[in-house]
Amino acid sequence: MSNATPKVENKRGINPIWFFPVAAVSIGLWLLYTSIMARGSYITINFRNADGITPGKTTVIYKGTIVGRVKDTELNKDLSSVAVHIEMSPQMKNYLSKDTKFWLVSPTVNLSGISGLSTIISGKFINMFPVKGKAVKVFNAFEEPPRGLRKDGLYVKLHSKKLDSVSIGSPIYFNKVQVGEVTNFDLDMDGNGVEVTIFIEENYRNLLLTTSRFYNVSGFELDASLAGVKVQSDSLISIIKGGIAFVNHESEENKNNQKVTTNFEKKYTLYPSYAHTVPGKKIKVIFPLGSAVAKEKTPIKFRNINIGVVTGSEVDRNKAQLLVEATIKKEFENIIVKGAKFWEVKPKISLKGIDNLDAITGNYIAVDISRYNFKKSKPAGTFTALAQAPLKEVHNKYGTHLNLFSSRRNSLAKGQGVYYRGVQVGVITDVRLNTRAKNVITEIFINSPYHKLVKEETKFWNTSGVDVEFGLFSGAKISTQSIESILSGGVEFATPEKFSMRKKQYFQVHKKAQKEWLEWTPIINL
């Protein structure tokens, strides 16, 4: 039997049996981590009411993908709203900042179309606009899709004295094509006007220039005249929701195009109508009350050429006058200077026919200026309109002013002709009473060289109407002048063969011509 002693050796290292509990702990920690990471974030959104929101069914959608689901709902303590508890997808964890927005989507039918149509089958859902940032847990839902979230277009601010009928969602038009919408509006800093924020679609942002002009297109326009009744309106949506349009006037476009490239780069004025956007000289014309030229878009014409348009009017109650505001196109600004004459043109029907036929579709304002005033070219911004159109005859310095007197005016009136042997040689410039109201004074102007026909012995008579004489045996004798003088009226004169140079300034107007006057045939060199 051997007496050998067993030798014990200590081996260094980890016993393999410990690998099993370490692996089990690692797997547990990994499962715990993945469970936490997969659980997502829990948030609360406060809605005014939870109509259509069902726990376990209603989802949160972003770009058509489910990123959250409603877990529970409960009334808030003050009973003013409903707290909706939602579990969000883990990938949205970094996008639940204070600027993130939520709103409920439901089917809506209105004049602008049908929105939220997909909810008819799937039910209501919560839409979101995520913004990356520090996470928060509680949100307040919007009543409707918030405006101003899009980044693929252009935001612009407009300023107006009043809001008119524009509202959030009102369309923005260019050439009657919708290119954007109103996203917001608020009072300006001074509280004296309104600032309107609009969004222009990306495809149309190149249409907006720094010289573009915006105007209100809400409602419709009714125009009734002798030519008929015209009703002009924009789309039905703009009538109900209001609308804004903008235009680029050719006279203001430059070679570089001056396109707007960044949001809120320029603040624009929102004009009340298209007529206000026309670039040019702003003027005021004073008309008597009752003038039919106060309507916006009433044209202003210079020798049948449209040179401007009426943009507005107001009544001066103190002076009982109508102040008409207008814009003159830039290329015609040099015409509108001191001395320019304005008057209202309207159709006139008489036995002669229809005068001013071009005004049958609506009255307009005519303007003219003498060469003298045009050459002086003194600037002016306010004008007083004439009661009627100025006389067509040219009053040159070689003509003659004369005064005729009679006991009654009869049918004489300003603008009627002065005739010699049936040929018009002058015009009546005024009809008035003399200072003692004893006689009627008819002022006339005879153009050169016909003023040489008036001598000291010249006789004047009224040519208006028809002279009828009855005799017992001779019957009726009718004497008339030319058809023109019968219809338009006026005075005629004759000079005898024997005459002397004129010295007097006043001549009597006889009711009718004596027979011998009509037979006078003097020879007078013109």
Side-chain angles (χ1 to χ4, degrees):
M1 185 173 183
S2 174
N3 293 323
T5 302
K7 186 178 181 180
V8 179
E9 294 180 358
N10 293 327
K11 293 183 177 181
R12 295 181 179 182
I14 299 175
N15 196 322
I17 197 170
W18 288 104
F19 282 104
F20 293 101
V22 170
V25 172
S26 298
I27 292 172
L29 291 175
W30 171 254
L31 292 175
L32 178 63
Y33 172 78
T34 55
S35 176
I36 293 174
M37 294 301 296
R39 191 189 324 180
S41 303
Y42 284 89
I43 63 172
T44 299
I45 305 176
N46 295 317
F47 288 84
R48 180 171 292 182
N49 65 72
D51 183 28
I53 298 177
T54 304
K57 181 181 179 181
T58 302
T59 57
V60 179
I61 302 292
Y62 177 64
K63 291 188 175 181
T65 303
I66 297 176
V67 295
R69 189 176 298 273
V70 174
K71 291 298 183 180
D72 192 17
T73 60
E74 64 175 336
L75 286 170
N76 285 318
K77 293 181 180 180
D78 58 1
L79 305 181
S80 62
S81 59
V82 177
V84 177
H85 304 293
I86 298 173
E87 181 183 1
M88 297 296 295
S89 172
Q91 67 189 99
M92 304 304 294
K93 182 177 181 180
N94 296 327
Y95 295 90
L96 298 174
S97 68
K98 63 178 182 178
D99 296 321
T100 299
K101 297 175 175 58
F102 297 88
W103 64 95
L104 188 65
V105 177
S106 58
T108 302
V109 180
N110 54 35
L111 290 172
S112 60
I114 302 175
S115 60
L117 193 59
S118 60
T119 61
I120 296 177
I121 298 175
S122 62
K124 296 182 179 181
F125 63 87
I126 299 170
N127 209 342
M128 73 174 294
F129 180 80
V131 177
K132 192 173 183 178
K134 185 179 180 180
V136 296
K137 295 294 184 180
V138 180
F139 300 86
N140 292 319
F142 285 79
E143 294 292 321
E144 59 182 20
R147 309 285 175 175
L149 301 180
R150 299 180 60 177
K151 306 296 183 183
D152 56 345
L154 195 64
Y155 286 93
V156 179
K157 279 193 180 293
L158 313 177
H159 185 270
S160 177
K161 292 182 179 179
K162 57 181 181 178
L163 190 60
D164 291 322
S165 56
V166 175
S167 60
I168 293 178
S170 295
I172 307 298
Y173 296 103
F174 182 83
N175 286 344
K176 295 195 174 183
V177 175
Q178 184 171 350
V179 298
E181 65 178 1
V182 175
T183 61
N184 195 19
F185 59 84
D186 200 357
L187 290 173
D188 59 16
M189 296 294 293
D190 299 329
N192 297 324
V194 180
E195 284 191 350
V196 181
T197 303
I198 66 171
F199 177 77
I200 304 296
E201 301 280 350
E202 178 67 22
N203 293 339
Y204 304 108
R205 66 184 296 166
N206 63 317
L207 298 173
L208 186 63
L209 308 177
T210 55
T211 53
S212 297
R213 299 201 176 194
F214 291 81
Y215 60 97
N216 195 307
V217 295
S218 308
F220 65 94
E221 190 175 317
L222 178 65
D223 186 9
S225 65
L226 292 174
V229 178
K230 295 187 294 183
V231 178
Q232 184 177 358
S233 68
D234 287 275
S235 66
L236 188 59
I237 300 174
S238 65
I239 295 177
I240 303 300
K241 299 184 67 175
I244 295 173
F246 68 95
V247 63
N248 297 324
H249 291 288
E250 293 183 0
S251 60
E252 290 192 345
E253 291 182 354
N254 58 27
K255 296 180 180 179
N256 297 326
N257 236 355
Q258 290 187 331
K259 294 180 180 179
V260 178
T261 56
T262 59
N263 292 331
F264 308 115
E265 179 179 331
K266 174 179 170 56
K267 183 183 290 187
Y268 296 85
T269 299
L270 177 59
Y271 295 95
S273 69
Y274 173 81
H276 289 78
T277 69
V278 178
K281 182 178 181 178
K282 309 298 181 183
I283 64 169
K284 288 186 177 182
V285 185
I286 302 172
F287 281 87
L289 286 179
S291 300
V293 293
K295 185 174 61 175
E296 287 188 6
K297 299 184 181 180
T298 297
I300 299 176
K301 297 183 179 182
F302 173 73
R303 299 178 184 177
N304 293 326
I305 301 174
N306 284 331
I307 66 168
V309 65
V310 172
T311 58
S313 62
E314 61 180 350
V315 176
D316 183 353
R317 296 183 178 180
N318 296 329
K319 298 182 180 179
Q321 296 172 327
L322 183 67
L323 302 179
V324 175
E325 299 175 353
T327 300
I328 303 298
K329 296 178 182 178
K330 283 191 172 182
E331 56 267 35
F332 297 103
E333 288 183 4
N334 59 332
I335 296 174
I336 310 304
V337 295
K338 186 176 181 180
K341 297 179 180 179
F342 293 81
W343 67 94
E344 178 184 4
V345 178
K346 50 188 174 182
K348 185 178 180 181
I349 302 175
S350 65
L351 293 174
K352 295 173 60 178
I354 301 177
D355 293 332
N356 304 324
L357 192 60
D358 57 341
I360 197 169
T361 58
N363 295 4
Y364 65 86
I365 298 174
V367 61
D368 204 354
I369 187 169
S370 65
R371 292 183 179 180
Y372 173 77
N373 288 318
F374 179 74
K375 290 181 178 179
K376 292 183 69 175
S377 190
K378 291 185 177 180
T382 302
F383 304 85
T384 300
L386 302 176
Q388 61 184 34
L391 302 174
K392 295 181 181 179
E393 283 67 27
V394 177
H395 292 189
N396 55 62
K397 61 182 179 180
Y398 302 108
T400 299
H401 287 277
L402 296 173
N403 296 312
L404 311 180
F405 64 91
S406 58
S407 59
R408 300 185 64 83
R409 183 181 73 88
N410 296 320
S411 57
L412 298 180
K414 181 179 179 179
Q416 292 178 343
V418 177
Y419 300 89
Y420 181 82
R421 295 187 181 181
V423 176
Q424 186 172 354
V425 296
V427 66
I428 296 176
T429 59
D430 195 16
V431 179
R432 57 179 175 81
L433 289 172
N434 67 355
T435 54
R436 296 185 179 182
K438 182 179 180 180
N439 292 317
V440 175
I441 303 298
T442 302
E443 298 179 4
I444 66 172
F445 181 86
I446 300 179
N447 286 316
S448 175
Y450 304 114
H451 66 291
K452 298 177 182 179
L453 298 171
V454 182
K455 304 299 181 180
E456 189 72 12
E457 296 80 13
T458 296
K459 302 294 184 182
F460 288 84
W461 65 89
N462 194 326
T463 63
S464 306
V466 179
D467 186 18
V468 181
E469 294 183 359
F470 290 92
L472 182 61
F473 300 102
S474 60
K477 184 179 180 181
I478 301 176
S479 300
T480 67
Q481 304 296 325
S482 66
I483 296 298
E484 181 181 1
S485 63
I486 293 175
L487 295 177
S488 61
V491 295
E492 188 164 355
F493 67 93
T495 300
E497 287 83 356
K498 294 182 179 182
F499 55 80
S500 58
M501 296 301 295
R502 179 183 62 85
K503 296 181 180 180
K504 60 184 178 182
Q505 187 69 24
Y506 285 81
F507 293 82
Q508 182 180 359
V509 181
H510 300 273
K511 290 183 179 179
K512 61 180 180 180
Q514 295 182 13
K515 183 179 179 180
E516 60 178 304
W517 299 350
L518 300 176
E519 297 175 353
W520 289 344
T521 56
I523 298 176
I524 303 175
N525 293 325
L526 298 178

